[in-house]
Amino acid sequence: MLIKQILAGKSAGKIATVKPKDKVSEAAKLLSTHGIGALVVSETGSDVLGILSERDIVRELGKRGGSCMSDVVGDLMTADIITTTPAETAESVLQTMTDKRFRHMPVMEDNGMVGIVSIGDIVSARLAEVSSEKNAMQDMIMGR
């Protein structure tokens, strides 16, 4: 399965982004409102400057308490981002996420962001694929 197939199965819409100068409290509200685990940090909506995840916020809350909520996103974001392309395999992206211990990866094409995939998106797609393969094997064995 390719990343473009996973993106096609996701609900179409704008990628949730924040700007580096936005307050962390605003970003936390967006995460909560959208029920997501990470926001892409972007000035234009298609560039990727970093990612701000729930983990980034919780880590800082644990260190400094609630005062970090008035910081700007650029101060807490993860700036060293690994991206993928629509043509990459889901298995390869899942392996990278597992090895590097992160859960969200922007998808880039022609120097612009076209989506974001989470480890949950990939696991869900892979489970559906395995279930389909199982059903096909059962049908073949049963002569259906």
Side-chain angles (χ1 to χ4, degrees):
M1 176 171 285
L2 300 177
I3 293 300
K4 68 181 173 184
Q5 294 168 294
I6 294 171
L7 287 179
K10 291 180 75 167
S11 58
K14 191 175 177 202
I15 302 162
T17 63
V18 289
K19 294 183 185 275
K21 299 283 186 202
D22 289 347
K23 296 282 185 199
V24 172
S25 60
E26 296 166 16
K29 185 174 182 178
L30 276 174
L31 289 169
S32 177
T33 300
H34 293 293
I36 56 177
L39 296 162
V40 175
V41 182
S42 174
E43 287 288 353
T44 66
S46 65
D47 65 325
V48 177
L49 304 174
I51 289 183
L52 181 72
S53 70
E54 296 167 321
R55 285 181 179 181
D56 295 324
I57 296 171
V58 169
R59 181 175 39 253
E60 209 56 31
L61 278 168
K63 286 180 189 175
R64 298 183 15 229
S67 66
C68 71
M69 298 305 281
S70 61
D71 289 355
V72 295
V73 167
D75 291 341
L76 268 65
M77 73 180 190
T78 301
D80 188 19
I81 301 302
I82 297 172
T83 63
T84 189
T85 68
E88 190 67 48
T89 65
E91 291 81 8
S92 172
V93 171
L94 182 60
Q95 189 65 57
T96 299
M97 288 178 163
T98 302
D99 291 347
K100 302 286 185 180
R101 301 185 49 83
F102 60 86
R103 299 180 292 177
H104 302 88
M105 188 181 286
V107 182
M108 306 295 287
E109 187 172 50
D110 298 329
N111 295 321
M113 181 174 49
V114 295
I116 186 168
V117 291
S118 71
I119 201 163
D121 295 334
I122 296 172
V123 168
S124 179
R126 185 65 185 127
L127 287 173
E129 188 177 45
V130 167
S131 178
S132 178
E133 290 170 1
K134 177 193 84 100
N135 291 338
M137 292 284 251
Q138 282 178 323
D139 289 349
M140 187 172 57
I141 290 168
M142 301 300 281
R144 297 184 220 167

